[in-house]
Amino acid sequence: MVDHLANTEINSQRIAAVENCFGASGQPLALPGRVLLGEGILTKECRKKPKPRIFFLFNDILVYGSIIINKRKYNSQHIIPLEDVTLETLPDTLQMKNRWMIKTSKKSFVVSAASLTERKEWISHLEECIKHLLTKTGRQPCREHAAPWIPDKATDICMRCTHTKFSTLTRRHHCRKCGFVVCADCSRHRFLMPRLSPKPLRVCNLCYRQLLADEKKEAEAERRQAEPIRSAIQGYEPSSGDDSDKSDDDKAEHWPADTEFYTSEVSWSSFHS
């Protein structure tokens, strides 16, 4: 079905319509071989509260954004490569039903569908596209995922020290490593996690110590791995055939005067016999 739609006029028109809805704030979506397979509105669990978001499923990417006017105008476009996606079904809560998590190396978040059937259809189509794409590219499924942020309203106190209460003056912060809601005192550090961002990100004190320990272990492992190479270099002694400061006249006395190495009578094989 995907191959059949890839170069059709109807597929081009559908993708162009999505681009027009995002306008200048969005990136171009039309690429050779890219097919728009479906779209729908899902509820995304955001930091402050759940919000409706428009989702578009292509054969290689998942695109979502905020709804300004449905079918006419969207913004805050996000593009997720499907080969970086892993799905996890979640149990219902009092506030939200038909939930599942979309996990990637840079960002993970929870969405919910209007019905159980709709959730099954979304997950089925996503998994089929992911499987086909991984088979095509030969890549392995992503194993490392960013932690989802716990919603602000999930807790009234810091999830690390458990005694600081949040208020209008005492702000909530999120650790980028574990996703916990923490106070300022429990998240004073920042750490560079290239997988998530080129800039150092806020992390809680516990994750900071863990990241430092992991960094130290990696450095120690690299040092041990490089040790045999250093030892080999330090123990290296130049052979007698290497260049030295002595002149050619100094070396001549070691060779018989009548030796002719490059005469036509001497074959190359004789030097190795």
Side-chain angles (χ1 to χ4, degrees):
M1 178 181 177
V2 172
D3 294 335
H4 175 70
L5 291 171
N7 299 311
T8 61
E9 184 65 23
I10 186 66
N11 180 62
S12 299
Q13 291 175 356
R14 288 172 177 171
I15 295 178
V18 176
E19 290 179 333
N20 289 335
C21 286
F22 279 105
S25 65
Q27 297 183 37
L29 299 173
L31 284 179
R34 177 170 288 169
V35 177
L36 177 58
L37 299 175
E39 65 180 82
I41 297 176
L42 299 172
T43 301
K44 179 177 178 288
E45 291 189 6
C46 300
R47 175 177 178 175
K48 299 293 184 182
K49 63 179 181 178
K51 298 177 181 178
R53 294 286 184 261
I54 184 69
F55 282 79
F56 299 94
L57 175 59
F58 295 79
N59 59 326
D60 61 335
I61 58 174
L62 181 66
V63 178
Y64 72 93
S66 301
I67 303 170
I68 306 301
I69 304 174
N70 193 28
K71 300 290 185 179
R72 292 180 60 186
K73 187 175 182 180
Y74 309 123
N75 65 7
S76 302
Q77 184 192 74
H78 296 268
I79 300 176
I80 304 174
L82 286 182
E83 55 192 9
D84 192 33
V85 171
T86 302
L87 306 177
E88 180 183 349
T89 304
L90 300 175
D92 294 343
T93 65
L94 293 175
Q95 293 78 22
M96 298 182 67
K97 301 184 182 299
N98 311 311
R99 305 163 66 234
W100 77 94
M101 186 183 297
I102 297 174
K103 299 190 290 185
T104 77
S105 60
K106 294 185 178 296
K107 185 176 183 179
S108 300
F109 54 92
V110 176
V111 294
S112 65
S115 66
L116 183 60
T117 300
E118 186 178 342
R119 181 180 74 171
K120 288 181 179 179
E121 290 178 351
W122 267 104
I123 292 178
S124 175
H125 290 310
L126 279 164
E127 288 180 340
E128 184 178 353
C129 289
I130 293 167
K131 181 180 179 181
H132 182 269
L133 195 59
L134 291 176
T135 302
K136 182 179 179 180
T137 60
R139 286 186 54 179
Q140 294 296 315
C142 182
R143 300 298 182 188
E144 295 185 32
H145 305 108
W149 284 18
I150 295 175
D152 286 0
K153 291 186 178 181
T155 179
D156 292 327
I157 61 173
C158 173
M159 299 178 72
R160 283 305 182 200
C161 66
T162 69
H163 62 74
T164 300
K165 292 184 177 182
F166 298 118
S167 64
T168 305
L169 298 178
T170 306
R171 291 185 55 201
R172 290 172 169 85
H173 299 279
H174 278 84
C175 171
R176 270 57 168 182
K177 180 68 170 62
C178 65
F180 277 24
V181 184
V182 291
C183 65
D185 287 340
C186 289
S187 58
R188 292 189 177 279
H189 301 287
R190 294 180 182 271
F191 198 89
L192 180 62
M193 295 179 282
R195 183 168 52 87
L196 300 181
S197 171
K199 298 180 180 180
L201 301 175
R202 180 188 293 271
V203 292
C204 68
N205 298 344
L206 181 63
C207 286
Y208 181 72
R209 290 193 294 270
Q210 180 183 343
L211 288 166
L212 283 180
D214 291 343
E215 186 179 58
K216 185 177 179 180
K217 286 181 182 179
E218 290 178 4
E220 182 64 20
E222 291 178 0
R223 187 190 66 78
R224 291 179 180 176
Q225 188 175 7
E227 192 62 36
I229 299 176
R230 281 201 218 91
S231 299
I233 294 175
Q234 290 173 357
Y236 172 75
E237 294 183 1
S239 67
S240 58
D242 286 348
D243 291 337
S244 68
D245 293 331
K246 293 183 178 181
S247 67
D248 290 339
D249 292 338
D250 294 332
K251 296 178 183 178
E253 62 183 18
H254 299 293
W255 300 102
D258 57 348
T259 300
E260 297 183 45
F261 285 99
Y262 297 98
T263 60
S264 59
E265 291 80 14
V266 182
S267 66
W268 282 104
S269 60
S270 66
F271 287 108
H272 303 285
S273 62

